[in-house]
Amino acid sequence: MSSTTDLARQVIRNLIEAGVSDFVISPGSRNAPLSIALHEASAKGFVELHIKLDERGAAFYALGISKATNRYVAVICTSGTAAANFHPAMLEARHSQNKLISITADRPERLRKTGANQTTDQVGLFPNINSFDLVAGVKFELGTGPIHLNIQFDEPLLPKDNNDWLAGLKIHEAKVEKVNPKSLLVTGNGVLVIGHDLGTFSSEEVEAFAAKSGLPIIAEDPLTFPAAIAHCSAFLGDESVRKYLTADYAIVIGRTTLSRSINTYVANIAKSYVIDPRIATIDTKRTATQVFFELPKLEVETLNQSWISDWQEISRITSEQIKSDESWSEQNAVRTITSAIPNECALFIGSSRPIRDTEAFATPRNGIKVFANRGLAGIDGNLSTIFGISNHFERSFAIIGDLTFLHDLTALLRPSTSNLTIFVIDNNGGGIFSTLPQAGVSGFEDLFGTPQNQDLVKVISAFGIAVSKVKTVSDLNLAIAHNKTGLNVVIVEVPNRETMAANLAQTYSRISKAVRMGLNLA
């Protein structure tokens, strides 16, 4: 038996015993020892094996599985540029603290810096991520975030034996360390702000904490917290409303990365208490009145009922204004989808406009499991992430923009076979930039608008995937109600980006006027 075969088998056996059951492979020669070992483990039922052609997509697919299962998932490739393609997903995993294992096959160390084919320095390829350069004697540890295993394989790469190297394999249960939480006593009228990533805590943990607090809840993800105050990012865009609702303190769980209105509101509160374990290792320069790495034991004193009522009334007024707008628009399309999809399903929301429209216009609810790539909020690899997530749910949905969809088009070469409906908001380009200060600058269309000018129905049909197009709320509701099996894509054709931006501005203006009038503000 070659030392290469032995090393590959040791790595795979150790990972299986540590509880890793999903492995994603992109075909290659140098990673052949790992691929063969995994095929043998799969044949015996120890692992589930996924084959993806594109390394970048493979890494995001593995990331999706990790998000859905909260377990370590390994993605494996050959040497050279293949390994570099793992970097975007590894960055997302690091900042979201997802459990992703990048395994890059490598040439022996003696070939580094010699001009050998497909050989570069892969050690430390992913900065700030725990990395192990393995040549023999497998020693590595799984932690809480992503890790990198770079494995030196010398020839011969193929096994010359039929040993039952999986005999006696035992899967070890991960030990969960109990943490004694600190205490937090707050006095006065406060708010609880929940970032979309939940600070890496589970939704159940955060919901229990929120319920105990009794505070008004500002949730970037209103689809997970039915008790959240609806449409906060919409009405907090008005400066006079922000001042009227000035709190004595804010408790912030995770990162708030979606709306400037909420960040501005929190920044003007005298005391802030931030709860996020990543401050210890990643966001080390983040400051607050007090920082917690775990959810503390919370005690709230002298909270006025009128404070709660004010938030509820402002939310009610805002909701009336939003519902009164029956025009066909991006925000109404997103509002329709998020309210109509059934319980007990998964929903992935893409970056840029879809996730912001969900925050501002969706009605708080629960019953669905919400996912997003909010570690670094990229649009790359979203389709692959969606496919990885959907394989672990009976029914899944996704809302993404047209550029986000096209950015990961190669994922359609080996798409998900699960029951998944993807809604593509098609405004022919980068709609979010029409709502940012860049709007209207010279060269805007080329630099920011970036119209894709594609017939998405034809593009998707070329992959043999079921696709339809809707242009009205009623047609959208029919598409949601038609519970198709397998993979389906619905193109949601909305007005152009300029119209969208103008509609948003008018909506926010109506909300501000109505709330000011309701509160008798000047």
Side-chain angles (χ1 to χ4, degrees), residues 232-238 242 259-266:
C232 289
S233 65
F235 62 72
L236 287 175
D238 186 289
R242 289 198 301 270
S259 71
R260 295 177 180 178
S261 61
I262 289 176
N263 282 334
T264 300
Y265 171 73
V266 172

Side-chain angles (χ1 to χ4, degrees), residues 305-500:
Q305 183 55 45
S306 60
W307 171 249
I308 308 293
S309 300
D310 281 343
W311 283 88
Q312 293 172 338
E313 176 61 12
I314 292 171
S315 176
R316 185 193 64 78
I317 296 171
T318 304
S319 183
E320 286 183 350
Q321 292 300 312
I322 290 172
K323 291 177 181 178
S324 68
D325 178 13
E326 297 180 352
S327 64
W328 177 236
S329 63
E330 289 188 34
Q331 58 263 36
N332 277 346
V334 169
R335 188 164 66 91
T336 299
I337 296 168
T338 54
S339 63
I341 59 175
N343 287 338
E344 299 183 1
C345 69
L347 172 65
F348 181 94
I349 309 174
S351 295
S352 297
R353 284 284 358 141
I355 200 163
R356 288 170 172 82
D357 285 338
T358 300
E359 177 194 34
F361 301 108
T363 301
R365 60 168 290 185
N366 60 3
I368 57 178
K369 185 70 174 177
V370 180
F371 297 94
N373 283 349
R374 294 310 301 169
L376 288 180
I379 67 168
D380 51 337
N382 277 208
L383 274 181
S384 297
T385 306
I386 292 164
F387 290 162
I389 290 169
S390 68
N391 280 343
H392 290 267
F393 290 86
E394 181 64 28
R395 193 83 180 89
S396 301
F397 296 86
I399 309 171
I400 59 177
D402 55 322
L403 295 187
T404 299
F405 182 85
L406 290 169
H407 202 292
D408 198 21
L409 199 61
T410 56
L412 298 183
L413 292 170
R414 294 178 70 94
S416 171
T417 57
S418 58
N419 299 320
L420 167 65
T421 299
I422 300 174
F423 297 96
V424 181
I425 309 296
D426 184 9
N427 57 24
N428 194 31
I432 191 171
F433 295 111
S434 296
T435 67
L436 298 178
Q438 294 97 321
V441 301
S442 177
F444 175 83
E445 274 297 280
D446 289 335
L447 296 173
F448 302 103
T450 56
Q452 35 91 0
N453 297 324
Q454 298 295 316
D455 184 335
L456 295 183
V457 171
K458 288 183 178 179
V459 171
I460 296 162
S461 297
F463 288 90
I465 295 170
V467 59
S468 60
K469 180 185 288 188
V470 299
K471 300 180 181 180
T472 65
V473 170
S474 59
D475 286 345
L476 180 56
N477 274 314
L478 286 174
I480 298 168
H482 192 39
N483 192 16
K484 292 183 178 180
T485 58
L487 174 61
N488 297 273
V489 179
V490 179
I491 307 301
V492 183
E493 188 175 290
V494 293
N496 63 41
R497 288 173 270 117
E498 292 78 9
T499 301
M500 178 272 295

Side-chain angles (χ1 to χ4, degrees), residues 118-277:
Q118 207 169 319
T119 304
T120 186
D121 188 359
Q122 295 177 190
V123 179
L125 185 62
F126 313 118
N128 301 312
I129 290 174
N130 287 337
S131 183
F132 302 85
D133 190 24
L134 306 179
V135 64
V138 181
K139 293 181 180 179
F140 56 85
E141 295 180 359
L142 301 183
T144 56
I147 67 169
H148 173 212
L149 306 181
N150 185 68
I151 308 177
Q152 299 178 40
F153 288 134
D154 209 342
E155 296 185 4
L157 299 175
L158 303 182
K160 295 182 178 181
D161 64 39
N162 295 311
N163 291 343
D164 187 5
W165 57 279
L166 291 165
L169 185 148
K170 294 181 180 179
I171 298 175
H172 309 297
E173 292 187 9
K175 295 181 180 179
V176 179
E177 295 183 7
K178 292 185 178 180
V179 177
N180 293 321
K182 295 181 179 180
S183 296
L184 173 60
L185 171 64
V186 288
T187 302
N189 295 325
V191 292
L192 175 62
V193 184
I194 305 173
H196 205 286
D197 60 12
L198 308 184
T200 75
F201 302 106
S202 71
S203 58
E204 293 79 10
E205 289 174 313
V206 175
E207 190 165 25
F209 182 89
K212 187 176 180 180
S213 76
L215 298 171
I217 301 169
I218 301 174
E220 287 192 326
D221 170 19
L223 306 180
T224 298
F225 302 98
I229 302 295
H231 319 304
C232 289
S233 65
F235 62 72
L236 287 175
D238 186 289
E239 184 179 1
S240 62
V241 176
R242 289 198 301 270
K243 289 181 178 179
Y244 181 85
L245 291 173
T246 298
D248 298 316
Y249 61 88
I251 300 174
V252 182
I253 298 177
R255 306 185 185 114
T256 53
T257 60
L258 292 182
S259 71
R260 295 177 180 178
S261 61
I262 289 176
N263 282 334
T264 300
Y265 171 73
V266 172
N268 288 323
I269 297 175
K271 295 181 180 179
S272 63
Y273 304 93
V274 175
I275 308 169
D276 195 327

